[in-house]
Each structure stands twice: as C-alpha cells, then as structure tokens.
Amino acid sequence: MNSVLYPLCAAIAFLALLYKLRVLRTDRSVTQVALVGNFFFLSLTYTVSTPVVWVATSQAVGVVNFSGLLTQGCVILLTACQQVVLLHLSHEAPTAWRKARPRLIALALVLAGMVGLFVAATSRGEKPDDFALDSAQYYPAYLTIYLLAYAANQVDVGVLGWRYARIAPHPWMRRGLYLIAATLPFALLYTGCRAADVVAAQFGVSGQAWEPLAQVAVTIATLTKTLGWVLPDWGRSLSDLWQRIDDRRAYRDLAPLHREVTGHVPEPVLHLEPDTDLRTRLYRRLVEIRDAQWALRTWTPAAVAEAAEQRGRSAGLAGTDLAATIEAAQLKAALQARAAQRQPVPHTLSPRVAEPEDLAAELAFQRKMARAFATSPVVAAVAADFVPGPSVQETS
C-alpha cells in the first residue's frame, strides 16, 4: 500500500509546494514562508517514505533505516511550520512569536530525543514497508516519544485552526481552516494505531492487522490538510469560476423572458458588440427586461396583482417567490393585452412588487420571475382569467 498511497501524497504535496513558491514571489510574509516549509517537509516525507526511495536514501547515507528518522523528523518540522502559520494568523507578530517559542523549543527537544534514541537502537535491516511496526517492537521508546509529540501537536494545530476559523475574515480561509481542524480525528486514529503497535509488541503480537487502517488514516489527514492549506488561495479562483458559470446560467435563464418582452417592446434593447463580455451582456439583459416591464404597465389590468397574490398565497408562496410570481403574472397579462391591442381600463400604476437591494438581489429576483413566467401554474391560471377586454376606442 505504501507504494501507491505515499507517491500520491508526495505528488500532491509537491504540486502544493510549487504553487506556494509561486505565491512567495509576491508575498514573503511569515505565514507564506512557513507554508512553503510545511509543503517542502511534507513532500520530502512522502517521497522518502516510498519504499524504493527509502532504501536508496538509507544506502546513500550509509545508515540503516535512516529514512525512518528522516521522514518522522520531517513530520515534526512540518508541524512546527503549521503552528507558526496558525499563530501568525491569529495574533500580531510579537505575540505570535512569543507563543510559538515554547512550542518550537519543545519540538527541538523531541527531535534531539528521537535522534539519540535512534542512534542507540539496534538495527535489524531496512524496513521500508513496516518501519513503525518494527520500531514498536524493538525500540518502542523512540516511537513513543515521536507519537506523543505528533499527537500533542496535531491536537494543537486542530484547536488553533478551529478557533481562528470562527473569526477568519475571508470565507475561503474559514473553509480551509475548518478542513484542517477536521483532519484531527484521522490524525488521532493514526496515533491510536501506532500506540496499539507499541502495546501489542509488548505481548509479542504484531500490529499488522490494523496497519492498512493507519496508512489510510494518515493519508486522508495529509490530503485533507493539504487542501485546507491551499484553499484560501485557490478558493478565490474557484469563486471566480463559479461566478462565470452562474452568470452564463443566469443569462440563459433570462433569455426566454427577455425575448418575449422585448419582442413587444424593442426600444430598450441596446446593440452590443460581439466581443462584449458576458457580465455586461447580463447587466443589459436585466435593464432591458425592467425597461420593457415599465413600458408594458399600461397594458396590465389593475386587478391582476391582487388575483395573483391570492392564488400565490393559496399555493403556499411567500416573500420574493410570491413577488416574482405576481410580477410574472402581470407581465403575462400585459403581453396578452398588447398582442390583442386591447388596453385595459384601469391599468396598473406600477409593475413592481419587490425592490431588490442590489444587483445580486435583482439578478436572483429576475431569475425567479423568469421561471415563474415560463412554468408557474399560478401565472398561467391568472393569465387565463384575464382575457383582454374591449379597448376605450372600441367602447366609444
């Protein structure tokens, strides 16, 4: 399993590292530098953990299982980088460094202890596939100090991430930090499996039975946390992409209504060049629908609004859904009257029922109105009730 999961994690970590190196060209803040360190140590951890690289690295150094010490040391270092990031996000620089100092000293002592215990341990040959299991059995003190440090720092990172996520100023940063905090159960599951290895080894039992669970848990934690760290940067691009997709959908949603009303009232339509951007076209479509709606108000029977409201409330509509349905019914009745050239007396004084506060609200409202115009049974029933009556001229 190591031959599949660990190269995957290494590749993803390396891509994140390349992305962060690009960001570092314009932003060399402490948080960005620490994130570069985090992804560097993460990519190194999983690259060396790949069995073929593990053996080659240890042989190149000339120390059996040196790769095990290297990878677990990198885990401690990347955790230190993560704590620096979260502390600098949560506090001003002087306070962040003051809070980081004891954490970094403790991690340095852990690394020193790991090196000492590793050197004192008796080597039993390269263990690229089951170094942790072998450590649990033959030098449990080394693995225990590593697990204690790993678990304590994972809890610290998870708690810090959760706390700052609640006050983070940007939505994508909040989502990323919540993802980071959500990896804590998987990290603790991995720690539990490794602790079980140590306990089982004291009774002469191998932890091979739950080894796949440990590997899957740490892989999920790694991939999810990596996504959490890059999400604040990538999130803005995702938002822009979603905005473009949604604008295109909105443009299509409004097309039938726009075509219907401007077919009877073409004056508001403004000619746009073929290369005009979608956002401008969408804005013009909103304006042209509203202008045509106002021009059609003299063709709208005054009683349509009340009839549509009664039918809409009976159908369970309320709020903007009801308002959009009423306006759609008025438009439908107005277009019928205009097509028949029978102007109602009296007509409505205003075609507007709702007043959206901004452009986003206006777009959402018009999309509801367009759907109601095309598919609402309330709109169809009201329009059927208002067959155009004789015009003033015919009455004369």
Side-chain angles (χ1 to χ4, degrees):
M1 189 176 292
N2 291 3
S3 300
V4 177
L5 293 181
Y6 290 172
L8 173 64
C9 291
I12 293 175
F14 185 70
L15 290 175
L17 173 62
L18 292 179
Y19 177 79
K20 274 299 173 185
L21 285 172
R22 181 182 175 186
V23 173
L24 203 60
R25 292 185 300 179
T26 56
D27 183 0
R28 296 187 179 180
S29 62
V30 174
T31 55
Q32 295 296 346
V33 172
L35 280 173
V36 168
N38 169 69
F39 289 128
F40 171 75
F41 291 122
L42 185 63
S43 60
L44 184 59
T45 297
Y46 281 102
T47 299
V48 176
S49 294
T50 303
V52 63
V53 181
W54 177 293
V55 175
T57 302
S58 294
Q59 289 178 349
V61 176
V63 177
V64 177
N65 282 326
F66 172 80
S67 296
L69 176 63
L70 176 60
T71 56
Q72 293 180 342
C74 285
V75 171
I76 299 299
L77 291 173
L78 70 87
T79 303
C81 292
Q82 293 173 7
Q83 291 190 347
V84 170
V85 171
L86 291 171
L87 289 171
H88 277 80
L89 287 176
S90 307
H91 305 281
E92 296 295 330
T95 304
W97 282 121
R98 178 174 57 81
K99 290 179 175 291
R101 194 172 297 114
R103 290 174 165 87
L104 297 179
I105 292 173
L107 289 174
L109 293 174
V110 167
L111 275 176
M114 289 172 60
V115 171
L117 291 170
F118 180 85
V119 171
T122 302
S123 171
R124 298 183 60 257
E126 290 291 348
K127 298 291 181 180
D129 294 307
D130 55 358
F131 175 73
L133 293 174
D134 194 66
S135 300
Q137 185 169 4
Y138 293 101
Y139 28 105
Y142 165 84
L143 186 59
T144 299
I145 191 175
Y146 167 73
L147 289 177
L148 289 174
Y150 176 81
N153 284 280
Q154 290 301 309
V155 170
D156 198 20
V157 168
V159 171
L160 287 173
W162 181 267
R163 286 177 179 172
Y164 186 64
R166 300 168 68 182
I167 60 172
H170 306 297
W172 284 107
M173 181 172 287
R174 288 196 294 272
R175 292 164 187 152
L177 291 171
Y178 278 131
L179 270 181
I180 291 167
T183 64
L184 180 57
F186 297 100
L188 293 180
L189 178 59
Y190 168 78
T191 305
C193 290
R194 291 290 173 242
D197 291 342
V198 175
V199 174
Q202 306 312 305
F203 297 93
V205 179
S206 171
Q208 192 65 51
W210 54 82
E211 182 63 12
L213 179 60
Q215 294 180 0
V216 170
V218 75
T219 300
I220 292 175
T222 298
L223 297 181
T224 306
K225 190 168 289 182
T226 300
L227 178 60
W229 288 123
V230 299
L231 202 56
D233 295 318
W234 290 356
R236 290 188 289 270
S237 299
L238 292 175
S239 292
D240 293 341
L241 175 61
W242 173 250
Q243 185 64 62
R244 290 194 294 272
I245 293 173
D246 195 52
D247 285 349
R248 192 168 297 281
R249 291 173 57 195
Y251 192 76
R252 290 198 302 265
D253 290 345
L254 295 176
L257 177 61
H258 179 267
R259 184 168 53 250
E260 191 77 25
V261 297
T262 58
H264 289 82
V265 185
E267 291 80 11
V269 178
L270 181 66
H271 173 73
L272 296 176
E273 296 298 326
D275 59 348
T276 303
D277 64 275
L278 177 62
R279 194 68 180 171
T280 300
R281 289 181 176 277
L282 180 59
Y283 174 74
R284 280 304 312 169
R285 182 157 285 185
L286 293 174
V287 172
E288 290 162 6
I289 288 174
R290 283 306 191 193
D291 287 348
Q293 186 181 14
W294 274 98
L296 287 167
R297 74 187 186 282
T298 59
W299 297 90
T300 307
V304 170
E306 182 179 356
E309 181 176 5
Q310 290 177 353
R311 285 184 177 272
R313 291 190 184 280
S314 298
L317 299 177
T320 55
D321 291 328
L322 177 61
T325 301
I326 294 172
E327 291 194 23
Q330 290 186 124
L331 270 177
K332 183 81 76 171
L335 291 173
Q336 288 181 165
R338 177 66 180 261
Q341 284 298 300
R342 295 188 175 183
Q343 198 164 27
V345 179
H347 62 73
T348 187
L349 299 179
S350 172
R352 302 293 296 272
V353 178
E355 295 293 340
E357 297 179 355
D358 53 32
L359 184 59
E362 175 69 21
L363 176 57
F365 182 83
Q366 286 204 29
R367 291 176 78 175
K368 288 184 177 182
M369 183 169 66
R371 285 194 294 270
F373 184 89
T375 63
S376 171
V378 172
V379 171
V382 171
D385 288 344
F386 283 85
V387 178
S391 66
V392 174
Q393 292 81 0
E394 288 175 336
T395 305
S396 301

Short mmCIF file of all heavy atoms in Angstrom, two decimals, residues 63-98:
data_model
loop_
_atom_site.label_atom_id
_atom_site.label_comp_id
_atom_site.label_asym_id
_atom_site.label_seq_id
_atom_site.Cartn_x
_atom_site.Cartn_y
_atom_site.Cartn_z
N VAL A 63 23.40 4.66 6.66
CA VAL A 63 22.82 4.35 7.97
C VAL A 63 21.54 3.57 7.73
O VAL A 63 20.63 4.05 7.03
CB VAL A 63 22.51 5.63 8.77
CG1 VAL A 63 21.84 5.27 10.10
CG2 VAL A 63 23.79 6.42 9.02
N VAL A 64 21.45 2.39 8.30
CA VAL A 64 20.27 1.55 8.11
C VAL A 64 19.06 2.24 8.72
O VAL A 64 19.10 2.72 9.85
CB VAL A 64 20.49 0.17 8.76
CG1 VAL A 64 19.23 -0.68 8.62
CG2 VAL A 64 21.67 -0.53 8.11
N ASN A 65 17.96 2.30 7.93
CA ASN A 65 16.69 2.91 8.35
C ASN A 65 16.83 4.39 8.66
O ASN A 65 15.99 4.96 9.37
CB ASN A 65 16.09 2.18 9.55
CG ASN A 65 15.41 0.89 9.15
OD1 ASN A 65 14.83 0.79 8.07
ND2 ASN A 65 15.51 -0.13 10.00
N PHE A 66 17.87 5.02 8.11
CA PHE A 66 17.97 6.48 8.27
C PHE A 66 16.73 7.17 7.70
O PHE A 66 16.30 8.21 8.20
CB PHE A 66 19.22 6.99 7.55
CG PHE A 66 19.30 8.49 7.48
CD1 PHE A 66 19.73 9.23 8.57
CD2 PHE A 66 18.94 9.17 6.32
CE1 PHE A 66 19.80 10.61 8.51
CE2 PHE A 66 18.99 10.54 6.25
CZ PHE A 66 19.43 11.27 7.34
N SER A 67 16.13 6.57 6.68
CA SER A 67 14.93 7.16 6.07
C SER A 67 13.79 7.27 7.07
O SER A 67 12.97 8.20 7.00
CB SER A 67 14.49 6.32 4.87
OG SER A 67 15.48 6.35 3.86
N GLY A 68 13.71 6.31 8.00
CA GLY A 68 12.67 6.38 9.01
C GLY A 68 12.85 7.59 9.91
O GLY A 68 11.89 8.33 10.21
N LEU A 69 14.07 7.83 10.37
CA LEU A 69 14.35 9.01 11.19
C LEU A 69 14.11 10.29 10.39
O LEU A 69 13.54 11.25 10.91
CB LEU A 69 15.80 8.97 11.68
CG LEU A 69 16.27 10.18 12.49
CD1 LEU A 69 15.48 10.32 13.78
CD2 LEU A 69 17.76 10.08 12.78
N LEU A 70 14.52 10.29 9.13
CA LEU A 70 14.34 11.48 8.29
C LEU A 70 12.87 11.82 8.10
O LEU A 70 12.46 12.97 8.27
CB LEU A 70 15.01 11.26 6.93
CG LEU A 70 14.83 12.37 5.90
CD1 LEU A 70 15.41 13.68 6.40
CD2 LEU A 70 15.47 11.97 4.56
N THR A 71 12.06 10.83 7.76
CA THR A 71 10.65 11.11 7.49
C THR A 71 9.90 11.54 8.75
O THR A 71 9.12 12.49 8.73
CB THR A 71 9.96 9.88 6.88
OG1 THR A 71 10.13 8.76 7.75
CG2 THR A 71 10.54 9.55 5.52
N GLN A 72 10.16 10.87 9.86
CA GLN A 72 9.46 11.25 11.08
C GLN A 72 9.98 12.57 11.63
O GLN A 72 9.22 13.35 12.23
CB GLN A 72 9.58 10.13 12.11
CG GLN A 72 8.81 8.88 11.67
CD GLN A 72 8.89 7.74 12.66
OE1 GLN A 72 9.76 7.71 13.53
NE2 GLN A 72 7.97 6.78 12.54
N GLY A 73 11.25 12.85 11.40
CA GLY A 73 11.77 14.17 11.75
C GLY A 73 11.11 15.26 10.93
O GLY A 73 10.80 16.35 11.43
N CYS A 74 10.89 14.98 9.64
CA CYS A 74 10.21 15.94 8.78
C CYS A 74 8.78 16.20 9.24
O CYS A 74 8.26 17.32 9.13
CB CYS A 74 10.20 15.46 7.33
SG CYS A 74 11.79 15.61 6.50
N VAL A 75 8.11 15.17 9.76
CA VAL A 75 6.76 15.35 10.29
C VAL A 75 6.77 16.34 11.45
O VAL A 75 5.90 17.22 11.56
CB VAL A 75 6.16 14.00 10.73
CG1 VAL A 75 4.85 14.21 11.48
CG2 VAL A 75 5.93 13.10 9.51
N ILE A 76 7.77 16.22 12.34
CA ILE A 76 7.87 17.16 13.45
C ILE A 76 8.13 18.57 12.93
O ILE A 76 7.53 19.54 13.40
CB ILE A 76 9.00 16.73 14.41
CG1 ILE A 76 8.71 15.34 14.99
CG2 ILE A 76 9.18 17.75 15.52
CD1 ILE A 76 7.44 15.26 15.80
N LEU A 77 8.98 18.71 11.93
CA LEU A 77 9.31 20.02 11.39
C LEU A 77 8.12 20.66 10.67
O LEU A 77 7.88 21.86 10.79
CB LEU A 77 10.50 19.90 10.43
CG LEU A 77 11.84 19.55 11.11
CD1 LEU A 77 12.90 19.29 10.06
CD2 LEU A 77 12.27 20.67 12.04
N LEU A 78 7.37 19.86 9.92
CA LEU A 78 6.23 20.44 9.21
C LEU A 78 5.14 20.84 10.19
O LEU A 78 4.41 21.82 9.97
CB LEU A 78 5.70 19.49 8.13
CG LEU A 78 4.99 18.19 8.51
CD1 LEU A 78 3.51 18.39 8.72
CD2 LEU A 78 5.21 17.15 7.40
N THR A 79 5.03 20.11 11.29
CA THR A 79 4.07 20.50 12.32
C THR A 79 4.47 21.83 12.94
O THR A 79 3.61 22.68 13.24
CB THR A 79 3.97 19.42 13.41
OG1 THR A 79 3.61 18.18 12.81
CG2 THR A 79 2.92 19.79 14.45
N ALA A 80 5.77 22.02 13.13
CA ALA A 80 6.25 23.31 13.64
C ALA A 80 5.88 24.44 12.68
O ALA A 80 5.45 25.52 13.11
CB ALA A 80 7.76 23.25 13.85
N CYS A 81 6.03 24.20 11.38
CA CYS A 81 5.65 25.21 10.39
C CYS A 81 4.16 25.52 10.46
O CYS A 81 3.75 26.69 10.36
CB CYS A 81 6.02 24.72 8.99
SG CYS A 81 7.79 24.59 8.68
N GLN A 82 3.34 24.49 10.63
CA GLN A 82 1.90 24.70 10.71
C GLN A 82 1.53 25.56 11.93
O GLN A 82 0.65 26.43 11.85
CB GLN A 82 1.18 23.36 10.77
CG GLN A 82 1.29 22.55 9.49
CD GLN A 82 0.71 21.16 9.62
OE1 GLN A 82 0.10 20.82 10.64
NE2 GLN A 82 0.88 20.34 8.59
N GLN A 83 2.19 25.32 13.03
CA GLN A 83 1.89 26.11 14.23
C GLN A 83 2.30 27.57 14.04
O GLN A 83 1.60 28.48 14.48
CB GLN A 83 2.59 25.50 15.44
CG GLN A 83 2.01 24.16 15.84
CD GLN A 83 2.54 23.68 17.18
OE1 GLN A 83 3.49 24.22 17.70
NE2 GLN A 83 1.91 22.67 17.73
N VAL A 84 3.43 27.79 13.38
CA VAL A 84 3.85 29.17 13.09
C VAL A 84 2.80 29.87 12.23
O VAL A 84 2.45 31.03 12.46
CB VAL A 84 5.23 29.17 12.41
CG1 VAL A 84 5.56 30.57 11.87
CG2 VAL A 84 6.31 28.72 13.38
N VAL A 85 2.29 29.15 11.22
CA VAL A 85 1.26 29.74 10.35
C VAL A 85 0.03 30.13 11.15
O VAL A 85 -0.45 31.28 11.08
CB VAL A 85 0.86 28.74 9.23
CG1 VAL A 85 -0.36 29.26 8.47
CG2 VAL A 85 2.01 28.52 8.28
N LEU A 86 -0.50 29.21 11.92
CA LEU A 86 -1.75 29.46 12.65
C LEU A 86 -1.57 30.54 13.71
O LEU A 86 -2.47 31.37 13.92
CB LEU A 86 -2.26 28.17 13.28
CG LEU A 86 -2.76 27.12 12.27
CD1 LEU A 86 -3.03 25.80 12.95
CD2 LEU A 86 -4.02 27.62 11.57
N LEU A 87 -0.45 30.55 14.39
CA LEU A 87 -0.22 31.58 15.40
C LEU A 87 -0.09 32.97 14.78
O LEU A 87 -0.57 33.96 15.34
CB LEU A 87 1.03 31.25 16.22
CG LEU A 87 0.88 30.06 17.18
CD1 LEU A 87 2.22 29.66 17.76
CD2 LEU A 87 -0.12 30.38 18.29
N HIS A 88 0.52 33.06 13.60
CA HIS A 88 0.64 34.36 12.94
C HIS A 88 -0.67 34.79 12.30
O HIS A 88 -0.89 35.99 12.09
CB HIS A 88 1.76 34.32 11.90
CG HIS A 88 3.11 34.56 12.47
ND1 HIS A 88 3.83 33.57 13.13
CD2 HIS A 88 3.88 35.69 12.54
CE1 HIS A 88 4.99 34.07 13.55
NE2 HIS A 88 5.04 35.34 13.21
N LEU A 89 -1.53 33.84 11.97
CA LEU A 89 -2.87 34.22 11.50
C LEU A 89 -3.73 34.74 12.65
O LEU A 89 -4.56 35.62 12.46
CB LEU A 89 -3.56 33.02 10.85
CG LEU A 89 -3.06 32.59 9.47
CD1 LEU A 89 -3.78 31.32 9.03
CD2 LEU A 89 -3.25 33.69 8.44
N SER A 90 -3.51 34.20 13.84
CA SER A 90 -4.36 34.51 14.98
C SER A 90 -3.89 35.72 15.78
O SER A 90 -4.69 36.33 16.49
CB SER A 90 -4.44 33.31 15.92
OG SER A 90 -4.83 32.13 15.23
N HIS A 91 -2.60 36.06 15.69
CA HIS A 91 -2.05 37.10 16.55
C HIS A 91 -1.12 38.02 15.76
O HIS A 91 -0.66 37.68 14.67
CB HIS A 91 -1.25 36.47 17.71
CG HIS A 91 -2.03 35.48 18.52
ND1 HIS A 91 -2.95 35.84 19.47
CD2 HIS A 91 -2.03 34.11 18.50
CE1 HIS A 91 -3.47 34.75 20.02
NE2 HIS A 91 -2.94 33.70 19.43
N GLU A 92 -0.85 39.18 16.35
CA GLU A 92 0.19 40.05 15.81
C GLU A 92 1.53 39.35 15.95
O GLU A 92 1.72 38.49 16.80
CB GLU A 92 0.19 41.38 16.56
CG GLU A 92 -1.08 42.20 16.38
CD GLU A 92 -1.28 42.66 14.94
OE1 GLU A 92 -0.26 42.85 14.24
OE2 GLU A 92 -2.43 42.81 14.52
N ALA A 93 2.51 39.78 15.11
CA ALA A 93 3.80 39.07 15.03
C ALA A 93 4.50 38.90 16.39
O ALA A 93 4.94 37.79 16.72
CB ALA A 93 4.71 39.79 14.04
N PRO A 94 4.61 39.95 17.23
CA PRO A 94 5.30 39.77 18.51
C PRO A 94 4.62 38.72 19.40
O PRO A 94 5.29 37.87 20.00
CB PRO A 94 5.25 41.16 19.15
CG PRO A 94 5.09 42.10 18.00
CD PRO A 94 4.24 41.37 17.02
N THR A 95 3.29 38.78 19.45
CA THR A 95 2.55 37.80 20.26
C THR A 95 2.68 36.40 19.67
O THR A 95 2.83 35.41 20.40
CB THR A 95 1.07 38.20 20.35
OG1 THR A 95 0.97 39.52 20.86
CG2 THR A 95 0.30 37.24 21.24
N ALA A 96 2.62 36.32 18.33
CA ALA A 96 2.72 35.01 17.68
C ALA A 96 4.07 34.36 17.96
O ALA A 96 4.14 33.17 18.29
CB ALA A 96 2.52 35.18 16.17
N TRP A 97 5.15 35.13 17.86
CA TRP A 97 6.47 34.55 18.13
C TRP A 97 6.63 34.18 19.60
O TRP A 97 7.26 33.18 19.94
CB TRP A 97 7.57 35.52 17.71
CG TRP A 97 7.82 35.54 16.23
CD1 TRP A 97 7.72 36.62 15.40
CD2 TRP A 97 8.21 34.44 15.41
NE1 TRP A 97 8.01 36.25 14.11
CE2 TRP A 97 8.31 34.92 14.08
CE3 TRP A 97 8.46 33.09 15.65
CZ2 TRP A 97 8.67 34.11 13.01
CZ3 TRP A 97 8.82 32.28 14.58
CH2 TRP A 97 8.93 32.78 13.29
N ARG A 98 6.05 34.99 20.48
CA ARG A 98 6.11 34.67 21.91
C ARG A 98 5.41 33.35 22.20
O ARG A 98 5.90 32.53 22.99
CB ARG A 98 5.48 35.80 22.73
CG ARG A 98 5.45 35.54 24.23
CD ARG A 98 4.97 36.76 24.99
NE ARG A 98 3.66 37.20 24.54
CZ ARG A 98 2.52 36.66 24.92
NH1 ARG A 98 2.51 35.62 25.76
NH2 ARG A 98 1.36 37.14 24.48
#
